[in-house]
Amino acid sequence: MNIDLGNVETTALIPLSNRASETKRKNPRVRDPKAVEIIENLGVDTKNYDKLVTHECVIARTIMFDEEMKRLIGEYPNAVCVNMGCGLDNRFERVDNGKIRWFDVDLPDSIAVRKKVYEETERRRMIAGNVTEKDWIPTVKNVVREKTVVFIAEGLFMYFSKEEQRTILRNLVSEFGSGYLLVEMMRPSMMDEKKHDTVKHTGAKFGWGTKSGKEFEALEPKLSLVSEHSFSEQMKKSTLASRIVGVLTAKINNRLAVFQWGRSIEGA
């Protein structure tokens, strides 16, 4: 399979490679057969994308995002879920309850690759668009209506400037009366690509980092921080290697922050 991805979009190969290699382990913490299939079909050398520290962080991140999504879907079984900057992620398969509507949103080159390996269905669609703009939003709004909407931003916001992040947040709260946002947050001290054992191989550049999710509330006052947890918390519950990495990275690791705005409809 031939792929043509930009520098930031190439970072999608990092979590994909790590989920694939984890799936092939004897006792995988994350099962993603589709990731294995894609990596094998791509025929790319993943040695620069699957390093120890990144692997443990990606697996912990995947587990935490999946668990939070399952919790919200349990509360809102008819929710509309939007995976922004989805890359080649297959979260829909891992959290689907048979009722939710799902949109995978990413830049045109990423969506072009996705369409080679994923099929759209009535409940799962792909949208080519820039998350800093509004061109993709009407397609989602046509489906949301009275349903609760959940936005996912895993491995995304750290590649944008402070103003670009403000724009994304403003677009979400202005176009959708209520909703949730699950976002990965990176500390300012880690906004250096050379400090990352895999990102440094992609050519991608980081933007703006945060010390606390409260900084998002300052960017967009309608947002309310529900929770914020370091990936190290999950890593300390896992394998020996993961626990060691979790302890060593506890003060610098990325976090999963959950925000809410408006008033979601119970059960919707």
Side-chain angles (χ1 to χ4, degrees):
M1 182 194 306
N2 294 322
I3 60 171
D4 184 16
L5 298 172
N7 289 332
V8 172
E9 296 93 304
T10 299
T11 61
L13 296 175
I14 297 173
L16 185 73
S17 300
N18 287 275
R19 291 196 307 271
S21 65
E22 180 68 27
T23 300
K24 291 161 67 174
R25 291 186 176 186
K26 184 177 181 180
N27 296 302
R29 292 163 287 175
V30 171
R31 298 178 186 274
D32 192 343
K34 193 66 176 181
V36 176
E37 176 189 328
I38 296 172
I39 288 295
E40 291 177 349
N41 288 338
L42 287 177
V44 297
D45 185 351
T46 62
K47 66 181 180 182
N48 288 331
Y49 303 139
D50 193 0
K51 306 286 187 177
L52 175 61
V53 173
T54 291
H55 184 99
E56 295 306 326
C57 290
V58 165
I59 298 308
R61 179 179 81 176
T62 301
I63 293 171
M64 290 175 68
F65 268 81
D66 283 359
E67 288 182 349
E68 183 61 22
M69 283 300 300
K70 289 176 182 177
R71 185 189 72 78
L72 285 172
I73 291 171
E75 187 172 353
Y76 306 104
N78 296 302
V80 175
C81 306
V82 184
N83 194 1
M84 302 188 298
C86 59
L88 293 167
D89 183 54
N90 193 30
R91 174 157 287 115
F92 173 80
E93 296 288 346
R94 299 194 299 273
V95 304
D96 182 32
N97 66 348
K99 297 180 180 179
I100 57 172
R101 297 290 296 273
W102 190 279
F103 292 94
D104 286 308
V105 181
D106 212 327
L107 295 171
D109 55 353
S110 290
I111 293 299
V113 174
R114 278 194 71 89
K115 288 186 174 180
K116 294 180 179 180
V117 295
Y118 291 106
E119 293 185 4
E120 291 186 306
T121 67
E122 183 180 351
R123 292 192 299 110
R124 183 184 193 181
R125 294 184 58 188
M126 292 176 263
I127 308 175
N130 188 329
V131 295
T132 64
E133 300 174 358
K134 293 185 177 183
D135 54 338
W136 56 275
I137 288 179
T139 302
V140 178
K141 289 183 71 173
N142 286 338
V143 173
V144 171
R145 298 188 180 93
E146 299 299 319
K147 297 181 175 65
T148 295
V149 60
V150 181
F151 293 92
I152 308 150
E154 178 185 10
L156 177 66
F157 271 64
M158 65 281 297
Y159 296 107
F160 293 111
S161 68
K162 182 177 182 179
E163 284 308 309
E164 287 173 325
Q165 294 186 38
R166 188 198 306 273
T167 295
I168 297 171
L169 299 177
R170 182 179 297 136
N171 288 346
L172 295 184
V173 302
S174 65
E175 295 293 331
F176 299 90
S178 64
Y180 289 88
L181 170 65
L182 280 58
V183 59
E184 178 180 359
M185 312 196 86
M186 182 182 287
R187 300 183 187 280
S189 61
M190 295 305 294
M191 302 303 284
D192 179 352
E193 303 79 22
K194 294 188 291 292
K195 292 182 178 181
H196 296 257
D197 56 1
T198 53
V199 176
K200 65 182 180 182
H201 296 292
T202 67
K205 300 296 181 183
F206 289 130
W208 180 65
T210 59
K211 293 181 179 179
S212 166
K214 289 292 183 181
E215 293 176 66
F216 263 28
E217 292 182 331
L219 287 184
E220 177 43 65
K222 291 182 180 179
L223 284 180
S224 176
L225 180 63
V226 177
S227 64
E228 184 173 11
H229 296 282
S230 169
F231 297 158
S232 291
E233 295 180 30
Q234 174 62 38
M235 295 162 74
K236 292 175 184 178
K237 305 174 186 177
S238 191
T239 64
L240 176 59
S242 186
R243 293 199 299 271
I244 292 173
V245 174
V247 170
L248 294 176
T249 60
K251 294 183 179 181
I252 60 174
N253 215 335
N254 291 5
R255 299 99 65 205
L256 165 59
V258 180
F259 296 88
Q260 183 179 12
W261 70 97
R263 186 172 183 179
S264 297
I265 303 171
E266 185 175 356

